[in-house]
Amino acid sequence: MALASLPVDVEETVLEPPKFVRDKFEKSVRENEPPSFLLQLEATDPDTPLDQLTYGMTSPDPDITVSQNGSVFSLSGLDADGARNPLTFEVTVTDGHSTDTAQLVITVEDVNEFDPQLNISSSTPPFKVPENASIGEVVTALGATDRDVTNQGFTFWLSDGGQGKFRLNDTTGLLEVSGHLDRRLTQTYQLTVAVSDHGQPPRHSWDQLQVEVESSNSRPEFVGDLRPLTASINVSESLPLGALLITLAASDPDLGSSGQLTFSVVSGNEDGVFDLDPHSGNLTLAKSLNYELTTEYTLLLKVTDHSLPPASSPVATLHVHVINEVEAPLWPLPLPTVYLSQSATCDVSPRLQAFSREVTSLTSQADETVEYVVRNQTNYFSVNKTTGLLTTSQMVPEGLYHVPLAACSAGTNVCSEAVLSVVVRSDNILAFCPVFYQTQVNESSAPGPLVLDLNTNKNDASVSYNITAGNGEGCFRINASTGEIFLARQLDRERTANYTLLISASEVDTGQTADAQVIVLVGDTADTAPVFLSPLYRGEILEDAPLHSPVLLAFTSIPLEVKATDQDENSQIRYSIVPGSDTSAGKFSVDATSGAITLTASLDRETMDPSLGSVYTMTILASEGYMDANTTVD
């Protein structure tokens, strides 16, 4: 056995570390996908088999995990809309000796899963817009939000409501006025607003908002003749019904119904003499004028728009002066047929004179003198120019005569015509004595009393009487045997001032007939209470007004005067303040004759009872001695 010695060189072995194939691993994944494999990490190592490399994460994560073999998995559905997107991790690989790191980036692709949300809701207070808003005026700017992070904008639109009065900019969300607003028609608009996002596919939502129309109404104003709030016109009493007296004009800058105007009479037309068209402003004549009864009318006028609430102009005053015209006297028709005998018809001749003087005893105007004329019958008949006494100038042949008469306003050619039928006979004919009667019955008389006893030239026993005209209301009855006329119904002078009755008498044996005219004048009784032109008068006065200053009609410069009328003849109305009704405690007085309200004590608005609301109230009494009426003044 032999031994030998061998040299051995021991060399140090250096292991190569593993190396990721790239510094960053990236992967995109749709959000909300179920847990799944995402990608495979890769590394190299020249001295370690790849399947012996171990992969991991520097920090564990609830959503992502890396297996030891380098497989990357999601542990839940990922959310692209959260704060962590993309998800960034540090991953590792080791061969047991050395470690390498790389970056893992997982981008979650957004899915359009959320509806956009408007910045309004059903609890949002109503938006306000003035009624006179111009086209294009912005009501509000709408906006929206979306939890989907990749949404690139919104589209807006109105899906319901608005009635064409609003428009919504589809890009900016500006809600604008697109039509003229009318608060009377619509005070509140309920709009349904919709919005969609720009996701794929797009999602949308909607909500409601209210727009309230606020009053911005300007009150109308009279223009033209009534611009100064007072005007006068002259009107002939002979104008026909329906004649146009004046056309009122007004202006209002508002649009829609707020600019639509209605004219009205506040007071002064209680008898309906005038008719005011509320739309055109045409003031026309509704009842005939009579200068002898009324020489002037004072109309208080206003114009009101159709806004909500409506606004009215200051009250304007129109004085209507009635111009007197010469008028033909009125004949009391029908005229009876007069029967004359060539011999004396009646035993008492003054009856004929009495009849003759009454031919035109009623005239339209008591202050005008009447002149009488017979037309084209000068051979047989004549009439006294002043008294109206009809006479025959000579023996009149038998026959029927139609005597044309004229009653003229003295000194003029303004006349009314009538024809009187006169029958002349040679025998003893039936005739009333006289033919014309006039009597008076007081309107307070109860039914039953004798009104008049008619007479003919024959014995009543052979004559039958009848009322043939003028008794359509049945106010009178006649005893057919005696000719006595009685009151059948109580009369009302304020409704009918006189009656013209035509009475027919018939002789039983011969069949002859005769006519008479009976004029019944209705006497007045104080039986009608005064009537105020308005149930409520509103006035105003400055607190520093000097004593004895007039209270002015509200919204005008016209002194306030309460006015009452009375249909009774010759009534004298007196005005007074009802004791205990004056909340000013005597700071005002009313003129007993004119009804004017004036200041009698100093005013101080600051010391007034707060419960009065800066308004004093009093009740005015109108009395004509028998009956009263009240009105209120504020």
Side-chain angles (χ1 to χ4, degrees):
M1 168 183 219
L3 297 173
S5 187
L6 294 175
V8 176
D9 293 330
V10 179
E11 296 180 356
E12 183 179 2
T13 302
V14 178
L15 297 177
E16 293 290 334
K19 182 70 174 179
F20 277 109
V21 297
R22 62 180 70 91
D23 295 331
K24 179 188 293 186
F25 292 87
E26 295 180 294
K27 176 66 176 179
S28 294
V29 60
R30 289 175 60 85
E31 71 173 328
N32 299 326
E33 291 289 335
S36 63
F37 169 79
L38 300 182
L39 76 159
Q40 182 66 47
L41 302 178
E42 296 181 48
T44 61
D45 192 328
D47 50 21
T48 304
L50 295 180
D51 59 357
Q52 294 182 13
L53 296 177
T54 301
Y55 296 87
M57 300 174 65
T58 304
S59 300
D61 188 84
D63 296 319
I64 301 295
T65 186
V66 177
S67 66
Q68 291 184 357
N69 66 0
S71 295
V72 180
F73 294 90
S74 62
L75 299 177
S76 63
L78 302 180
D79 185 6
D81 308 309
R84 295 195 310 157
N85 190 21
L87 300 172
T88 303
F89 308 97
E90 185 179 66
V91 293
T92 62
V93 61
T94 182
D95 59 2
H97 302 284
S98 300
T99 301
D100 192 21
T101 62
Q103 189 178 43
L104 173 62
V105 178
I106 299 175
T107 300
V108 184
E109 295 178 350
D110 188 37
V111 173
N112 194 23
E113 60 179 326
F114 295 106
D115 293 333
Q117 299 297 315
L118 289 162
N119 61 351
I120 59 169
S121 69
S122 57
S123 61
T124 301
F127 296 96
K128 311 289 187 178
V129 61
E131 185 178 21
N132 63 352
S134 57
I135 305 299
E137 184 168 328
V138 175
V139 178
T140 187
L142 298 177
T145 58
D146 194 332
R147 291 170 57 190
D148 293 311
V149 296
T150 57
N151 180 50
Q152 297 300 311
F154 304 96
T155 298
F156 302 90
W157 72 94
L158 291 176
S159 66
D160 190 22
Q163 305 172 18
K165 302 298 185 182
F166 302 94
R167 63 185 176 219
L168 184 59
N169 188 293
D170 60 354
T171 303
T172 65
L174 289 180
L175 181 64
E176 302 173 340
V177 176
S178 62
H180 296 303
L181 303 176
D182 191 332
R183 193 167 182 267
R184 174 172 287 277
L185 299 179
T186 306
Q187 299 179 57
T188 302
Y189 291 89
Q190 191 83 17
L191 307 181
T192 301
V193 180
V195 61
S196 70
D197 60 22
H198 292 176
Q200 293 299 325
R203 299 178 70 93
H204 66 274
S205 66
W206 58 87
D207 216 320
Q208 291 186 327
L209 64 83
Q210 284 187 341
V211 179
E212 289 186 356
V213 181
E214 294 185 308
S215 177
S216 56
N217 187 35
S218 300
R219 72 179 184 178
E221 301 287 344
F222 280 105
V223 298
D225 293 336
L226 279 176
R227 178 181 291 276
L229 297 181
T230 182
S232 298
I233 58 174
N234 296 326
V235 177
S236 171
E237 66 174 335
S238 63
L239 278 181
L241 299 183
L244 178 63
L245 307 182
I246 189 176
T247 298
L248 307 182
S251 65
D252 192 319
D254 299 315
L255 301 173
S257 63
S258 294
Q260 296 175 0
L261 305 179
T262 296
F263 298 92
S264 61
V265 179
V266 178
S267 66
N269 192 36
E270 286 69 25
D271 293 334
V273 176
F274 307 97
D275 182 36
L276 177 60
D277 187 294
H279 306 297
S280 68
N282 289 338
L283 184 69
T284 55
L285 191 62
K287 292 184 179 180
S288 297
L289 301 175
N290 190 335
Y291 174 84
E292 287 67 36
L293 297 178
T294 307
T295 61
E296 180 181 347
Y297 296 88
T298 299
L299 302 180
L300 298 185
L301 309 167
K302 71 176 180 179
V303 57
T304 305
D305 64 23
H306 292 191
S307 62
L308 189 67
S312 297
S313 68
V315 175
T317 303
L318 179 64
H319 299 280
V320 181
H321 300 285
V322 181
I323 304 303
N324 189 31
E325 300 288 347
V326 177
E327 298 172 288
L330 295 177
W331 291 91
L333 300 177
L335 296 178
T337 298
V338 177
Y339 292 86
L340 298 177
S341 174
Q342 290 176 334
S343 61
T345 302
C346 293
D347 295 334
V348 184
S349 57
R351 289 178 180 252
L352 286 176
Q353 293 180 1
F355 130 68
S356 301
R357 292 191 178 99
E358 300 300 331
V359 170
T360 55
S361 59
L362 294 182
T363 62
S364 62
Q365 301 159 18
D367 60 343
E368 292 182 356
T369 302
V370 178
E371 294 180 350
Y372 303 95
V373 179
V374 174
R375 310 275 198 198
N376 306 321
Q377 286 287 341
T378 56
N379 291 336
Y380 299 124
F381 301 97
S382 63
V383 66
N384 185 287
K385 178 179 179 180
T386 303
T387 65
L389 175 63
L390 184 68
T391 59
T392 58
S393 58
Q394 55 183 325
M395 179 63 69
V396 181
E398 282 189 300
L400 171 63
Y401 297 87
H402 298 292
V403 182
L405 303 174
C408 305
S409 181
T412 73
N413 293 321
V414 180
C415 307
S416 59
E417 310 291 332
V419 175
L420 180 67
S421 296
V422 179
V423 175
V424 179
R425 301 269 295 271
S426 60
D427 55 355
N428 184 18
I429 61 174
L430 176 67
F432 277 96
C433 298
V435 179
F436 293 85
Y437 296 83
Q438 178 175 301
T439 189
Q440 178 169 311
V441 177
N442 197 285
E443 65 176 333
S444 63
S445 298
L450 177 68
V451 175
L452 192 67
D453 185 4
L454 305 183
N455 295 288
T456 68
N457 59 343
K458 299 296 181 73
N459 189 307
D460 281 344
S462 63
V463 177
S464 176
Y465 299 90
N466 185 34
I467 302 176
T468 58
N471 195 32
E473 299 177 4
C475 295
F476 306 93
R477 63 179 178 85
I478 191 169
N479 187 310
S481 300
T482 65
E484 293 174 312
I485 298 177
F486 298 92
L487 186 64
R489 293 176 53 187
Q490 188 167 357
L491 306 179
D492 184 355
R493 190 203 64 83
E494 286 71 35
R495 188 169 61 88
T496 305
N498 59 79
Y499 296 85
T500 299
L501 307 178
L502 190 64
I503 310 299
S504 176
S506 176
E507 190 173 21
V508 177
D509 296 336
T510 65
Q512 291 184 15
T513 60
D515 295 331
Q517 183 191 73
V518 177
I519 297 172
V520 181
L521 304 179
V522 182
D524 186 43
T525 297
D527 60 351
T528 304
V531 177
F532 277 99
L533 301 184
S534 175
L536 175 64
Y537 290 84
R538 295 195 181 278
E540 59 184 28
I541 191 170
L542 296 174
E543 68 173 329
D544 60 352
L547 296 182
H548 310 298
S549 295
V551 174
L552 302 181
L553 194 65
F555 307 115
T556 74
S557 58
I558 305 169
L560 171 61
E561 293 183 354
V562 295
K563 290 293 183 184
T565 60
D566 191 342
Q567 296 184 34
D568 293 326
E569 286 185 329
N570 304 318
S571 63
Q572 295 183 350
I573 299 176
R574 306 282 292 179
Y575 302 98
S576 61
I577 298 175
V578 175
S581 70
D582 182 7
T583 59
S584 75
K587 296 184 183 298
F588 300 92
S589 66
V590 60
D591 187 276
T593 304
S594 68
I597 310 293
T598 55
L599 182 66
T600 57
S602 299
L603 299 174
D604 187 350
R605 191 169 182 269
E606 286 68 32
T607 60
M608 286 183 64
D609 185 341
S611 65
L612 296 178
S614 302
V615 176
Y616 288 119
T617 302
M618 67 195 73
T619 301
I620 305 298
L621 177 72
S623 175
E624 39 89 315
Y626 298 94
M627 305 184 76
D628 304 328
N630 293 333
T631 190
T632 301
V633 177
D634 286 347

